[in-house]
Amino acid sequence: MSRELTYAQAIQEALAQAMEADPNVFLMGEDIGVYGGAFQVTGDLVHRFGEDRVMDAPISELGQAGVAVGAALAGCKPVLEFQFSDFATLAMEQIVNQAAKLRFMLGGKVNVPLVMRFPAGSGTGAAAQHSQSIDAWLAHVPGLKVIQPSTPHDMKGMLLAAIDDPDPVMVFEHKLLYKTKGEVPEEAYRVPIGKAHVARNGKHVTVVATSIMVHKSLEAAETLAAEGIDVEVIDLRTLRPMDTATIIESVKKTSRLACVYEGVKTLGIGAEISARIAESEAFDYLDAPILRLGGAESPIPYNPQLEKAAVPQVPGIIEGLRNLVTGRT
Amino acid sequence: MKTPKTAKANARPFYQKHSAAELKEALRKMYLIRRFEEGAEEAYMRGLIHGTMHLSIGQEASAVGSTMALRNTDYITSTHRGHGHCIGKGADPKLMFAEFFGKEEGYCRGRGGSMHIADVATGNLGANGIVGGGLPIAVGAALAIKKQKRDDVAMCFFGDGASNEGAFHEALNMASVWKLPVVFVCENNKYGMSVSTERSMSVKNVADRAPAYGMPAVIVDGNSIADVAEAIEAATEHARKGGGPTLVECKTYRTRGHSRSDRNRYRTKEEIEDWKARDPIPHFEAELIAHGLASADEVTAIRVAAEAEIAAGIEFARLGTDPDPTEVTRDVYSPEAA
C-alpha cells in the first residue's frame, strides 16, 4: 500500500520502522523529544518510543557526535539529528577524524554504524549560519557515505538503507523539501545508497542535480520541452559513493552535461562530476563545454531577493540549459 | 616463598585485596610497558620503524593501576600516549610491535601505527591522535552499556591538555547528566606538549573541573600503583552499580619528551631527575618485597621474562608481512553486504 506523505513524514516513518525492527536503533539530537524537532521531523516519536530512544541531548554537537561514535562501536545504531547542517562544523572532529576513519585506522576490526541527519540549504530566511549546503565537504572524506534524497519515496528508502549500513552515513535533507509530498509505500523498503536515479528521460542534455535542484531542474525541463529541448534529469541521490556509470551513459546519449547544485560552485560536487566525465569515455561524446550551476561565491544572505540570487533558480537553469543546447553563450 | 600474614595485614587495602599473583602480574605489565617503549625507541633510532611515537615512560603505574580494575567486556578509550593502556588492558606486545613496524600482523594491519593501536578484542576502542578525541567516544560506549543493561564500564584515559578541549567539557557534562558508567582517568603529566598546566589552566588541578559537572573527583599519586588502583577500583565499582561517572586525576610525569622531536627546552634537567627518582616501578617492587608479596629473585625473574618477551616481539614484528600497496583503500568501508 502506498499513500501520500510529506518528506518529513517519510523520515519519521523510516525512523519509527527502524526503531520497531531493531532495539539497538535510537535517536539523539537537540529538541527532538517533546518539542518534536526544530522542523517537526521526530514529531511525537518520543511518546511512542520513550525518552531513552528519542533522546534530547545538551547543545553539544561535538559531544553528541562522539557519543554516537562510541555507542556505534559498542553495538548500538545511533541516528543523530543536527538541528541545522551548519552545526556539523562544531562536530567536524568526531565526524571526520573519528567516525570516518576508525574502521580504517583499526585495520577493519570495527564498524561505525551511525547515521547523522542534517537539515540543510537556503530559502528560509535564516541567513548565513543556518542555510549552508556543506554536503560536498563531507563527501570529500573517505569513510563517510553521503546521501541527499530529493523525494519522500527515496528519503524513506534511503534512510532505512542508511540505518542498515555498517558504515557512517551522512543524510542531507533540504529544509524546503520537508513539506513536499509524494507517494510512499507503507512497508519498510530500501532504496540503495550509491545509485543515481534518472528522474526524467531526455535526449538533448544531461542535467545531474542534487536535492532540491532536482525539482528545479525538472521544472526547467518542462518549460524547455515546450521549446523542443529535451532534458534528461539525473537525481544523483548519493554523493559518495558516486554513481558515475549512470552519468556516463546519459552523457554518451545526450552529448551535453550540466551540473546543478546548491552548494558553493567552486570546488563543489559539480567539479567532481565534470572531472569524472572529462576522465571517461563520455568526454569524446561532448558537443559543448560542461555547464556548472552552483551556489554563489558568498555566504547565504538574509534579504529574500539576495537569498534567491545566491543559489540556482528555475529561470537561470532554463537559460543555462537553453544556451548550452543551442550553442549560444 | 610464603607470604608472612603479618606483613600483608599491615599493608594498605591494595595489597590486601589482591593476591600475590595478581600483584606480580601487575608488575609484569609495568615492565612490559617500560621495555616495550624502550624497545620501540631503540628500533626507531636504528631506523627500523618510522613516523613518531609518544612514550609514557614514568607513567606505568597509572596505566596498570587503572586497567587492573577492568574486565574484557569493559571498554577503554586511550590517547596518543597509549601504549601502556593497551598493554594494561591485555594486548600482546608482539602484535603491537608488528603494528609499529607497519605489518599485516599488527593490531591494525599496519594502517594505524603507534597513535591508533587498538586491541578491540580486549575492549580497547583505540588510541587516538586527536587530543580529547576519545572523551565523547567513551561516553557513547557507556551509553550503549547502559542501554544494553550491562554492568560494564567505559574507562576514558586523557591528559591534562585534553581538559582544555571543548570535548572534555561536553563529555563530562553528558556523562554526568545521563549518569553513565564512565571512569575518567586523567593522566596529568604537567605538560601539554611544552606548555605547563600552570600556563594553560586557570585551576590547579584537572579534578577541580569535575564539580562544575556535579561529578566526584579524586587526586592520586599517579606514580603509586596502589594509590591509583584504590581510587580507580572505587570509581569503577561506583559506576558498575549505576552511580555514574567519576574523575580520577593521576599526578604523574613522562620522563621522555613529548615525541621524537622534543628537545626538552621547556623543563629543567633537575625536574626530570627529580621525577626519575620517583619511578613507579622500583617503588612498586620495594613495596611488594616489603610486604612479603614477592622476593627479590621473583622480581628479577619478572623483569628478565619481560625483556625476553619484548625481544621476541621485535623479532616477530621485523619478520612480519608488508601490506600490499594495491590494497591501500581496504577497510575504508565495510564489505558490501551479501
Side-chain angles (χ1 to χ4, degrees):
Chain A
M1 269 290 286
S2 175
R3 70 280 185 251
E4 203 166 66
L5 289 186
T6 67
Y7 189 84
Q9 288 168 332
I11 297 169
Q12 188 184 116
E13 187 165 277
L15 296 173
Q17 289 178 344
M19 283 198 286
E20 278 162 7
D22 184 350
N24 291 312
V25 177
F26 73 94
L27 315 183
M28 180 184 289
E30 291 163 15
D31 310 297
I32 65 167
V34 290
Y35 194 97
F39 297 97
Q40 289 301 312
V41 171
T42 47
D44 67 353
L45 288 179
V46 70
H47 300 301
R48 289 173 60 190
F49 294 95
E51 289 182 347
D52 286 345
R53 296 190 74 192
V54 183
M55 295 180 69
D56 275 328
I59 304 175
S60 305
E61 285 81 4
L62 174 63
Q64 290 174 46
V67 165
V69 171
L73 288 171
C76 290
K77 288 184 154 249
V79 181
L80 182 58
E81 173 177 306
F82 280 72
Q83 199 153 78
F84 289 83
S85 70
D86 312 67
F87 306 163
T89 55
L90 290 156
M92 274 306 185
E93 195 286 292
Q94 285 292 331
I95 298 172
V96 174
N97 291 320
Q98 314 295 343
K101 294 180 175 55
L102 272 165
R103 177 177 172 78
F104 180 85
M105 291 191 301
L106 304 193
K109 306 270 176 77
V110 296
N111 292 105
V112 188
L114 59 77
V115 173
M116 294 185 182
R117 298 181 33 245
F118 300 105
S122 68
T124 64
Q129 295 171 339
H130 291 73
S131 303
Q132 295 167 81
S133 296
I134 60 163
D135 39 87
W137 289 30
L138 296 186
H140 192 66
V141 181
L144 300 179
K145 295 181 179 179
V146 180
I147 65 173
Q148 240 179 339
S150 72
T151 65
H153 174 275
D154 286 354
M155 184 69 234
K156 178 177 169 183
M158 293 184 83
L159 183 52
L160 282 168
I163 295 169
D164 288 345
D165 203 285
D167 297 320
V169 182
M170 310 289 111
V171 187
F172 282 86
E173 306 164 358
H174 200 290
K175 295 186 286 271
L176 295 185
L177 292 177
Y178 280 134
K179 289 180 179 164
T180 60
K181 290 181 178 172
E183 288 291 310
V184 177
E186 282 179 14
E187 73 272 14
Y189 60 94
R190 269 74 180 166
V191 173
I193 292 170
K195 294 272 180 275
H197 169 65
V198 180
R200 187 185 196 281
N201 282 295
K203 56 180 187 282
H204 294 137
V205 58
T206 296
V207 173
V208 181
T210 58
S211 189
I212 197 168
M213 292 301 157
V214 174
H215 303 283
K216 292 186 178 183
S217 298
L218 287 169
E219 199 180 326
E222 288 308 308
T223 301
L224 289 167
E227 301 175 17
I229 296 173
D230 193 9
V231 180
E232 177 144 309
V233 178
I234 294 175
D235 180 353
L236 190 59
R237 298 200 294 197
T238 303
L239 272 57
R240 177 184 277 271
M242 193 184 292
D243 178 5
T244 315
T246 297
I247 305 171
I248 290 173
E249 282 317 300
S250 176
V251 171
K252 282 164 74 176
K253 181 175 73 174
T254 65
S255 301
R256 289 180 177 83
L257 173 65
C259 308
V260 187
Y261 51 106
E262 180 160 330
V264 171
K265 178 179 167 182
T266 297
L267 294 164
I269 198 68
E272 180 61 30
I273 295 165
S274 304
R276 287 183 184 220
I277 290 304
E279 288 171 338
S280 79
E281 75 264 26
F283 180 70
D284 286 333
Y285 291 75
L286 285 175
D287 287 340
I290 295 168
L291 174 68
R292 284 184 295 156
L293 297 172
E297 305 299 319
S298 77
I300 299 294
Y302 168 66
N303 172 285
Q305 299 312 314
L306 291 178
E307 185 181 22
K308 282 200 177 71
V311 300
Q313 302 296 344
V314 174
I317 300 170
I318 292 170
E319 189 188 355
L321 296 179
R322 185 191 288 132
N323 291 344
L324 183 63
V325 172
T326 60
R328 284 175 290 185
T329 52
Chain B
M1 68 175 259
K2 285 259 188 206
T3 303
K5 274 208 168 111
T6 45
K8 198 174 171 183
N10 293 335
R12 57 186 299 172
F14 175 69
Y15 293 105
Q16 297 188 40
K17 181 179 172 188
H18 294 285
S19 68
E22 285 170 349
L23 295 168
K24 282 184 273 192
E25 172 61 11
L27 179 66
R28 188 183 78 86
K29 282 186 169 172
M30 288 171 76
Y31 263 121
L32 273 183
I33 296 168
R34 176 68 58 89
R35 294 292 181 256
F36 176 88
E37 294 201 319
E38 288 171 348
E41 187 177 40
E42 193 201 335
Y44 178 89
M45 302 291 201
R46 288 167 57 200
L48 294 173
I49 53 182
H50 77 153
T52 190
M53 67 183 75
H54 306 87
L55 302 177
S56 65
I57 290 174
Q59 301 184 184
E60 295 86 351
S62 71
V64 176
S66 297
T67 49
M68 66 187 294
L70 302 182
R71 47 203 191 200
N72 252 5
T73 48
D74 293 324
Y75 299 112
I76 65 165
T77 61
S78 173
T79 70
H80 59 286
R81 205 174 303 287
H83 309 140
H85 313 142
C86 196
I87 291 174
K89 193 70 169 69
D92 183 340
K94 77 172 183 290
L95 303 181
M96 291 172 67
F97 272 124
E99 187 58 33
F100 268 67
F101 279 67
K103 305 292 187 181
E104 283 286 347
E105 289 81 358
Y107 273 118
C108 309
R109 296 172 178 163
R111 271 66 172 179
S114 160
M115 259 191 286
H116 304 296
I117 283 194
D119 174 17
V120 181
T122 57
N124 183 350
L125 299 179
N128 212 303
I130 304 297
V131 171
L135 279 146
I137 295 176
V139 176
L143 177 65
I145 288 169
K146 190 172 182 182
K147 285 181 178 297
Q148 294 156 0
K149 303 191 184 341
R150 296 152 55 188
D151 69 345
D152 295 322
V153 302
M155 181 173 285
C156 175
F157 289 100
F158 63 101
D160 45 285
S163 79
N164 295 326
E165 291 277 9
F168 166 84
H169 299 272
E170 295 188 17
L172 261 70
N173 184 51
M174 287 172 136
S176 198
V177 165
W178 292 329
K179 226 175 173 188
L180 298 177
V182 190
V183 181
F184 291 100
V185 185
C186 177
E187 294 179 304
N188 182 345
N189 62 17
K190 289 172 64 85
Y191 295 93
M193 202 158 160
S194 70
V195 179
S196 67
T197 51
E198 288 83 1
R199 294 173 63 210
S200 61
M201 282 167 50
S202 56
V203 288
K204 189 158 180 275
N205 307 299
V206 173
D208 297 341
R209 292 175 159 170
Y213 305 106
M215 190 183 299
V218 263
I219 298 173
V220 301
D221 174 357
N223 283 22
S224 159
I225 186 171
D227 227 36
V228 172
E230 285 173 10
I232 292 285
E233 282 163 9
T236 304
E237 281 316 300
H238 184 67
R240 289 199 202 288
K241 289 178 181 148
T246 303
L247 189 155
V248 179
E249 178 176 1
C250 304
K251 301 279 194 187
T252 184
Y253 197 80
R254 56 167 161 78
T255 55
R256 292 293 198 277
H258 163 74
S259 69
R260 300 308 317 153
S261 64
D262 192 337
R263 281 172 288 180
N264 277 322
R265 284 176 173 173
Y266 52 90
R267 53 186 191 174
T268 61
K269 280 200 177 70
E270 291 71 27
E271 181 182 286
I272 297 171
E273 290 309 315
D274 179 46
W275 276 94
K276 277 185 178 168
R278 295 163 64 182
D279 189 324
I281 295 179
H283 173 78
F284 184 32
E285 284 176 356
E287 292 211 332
L288 283 176
I289 292 167
H291 295 314
L293 292 159
S295 68
D297 286 350
E298 283 178 303
V299 165
T300 303
I302 289 168
R303 187 179 67 232
V304 169
E307 282 162 1
E309 183 173 345
I310 292 306
I314 291 173
E315 193 55 16
F316 171 83
R318 214 173 52 77
L319 301 173
T321 316
D322 288 322
D324 176 352
T326 65
E327 289 196 336
V328 69
T329 61
R330 197 187 63 184
D331 296 326
V332 175
Y333 295 100
S334 304
E336 290 288 324

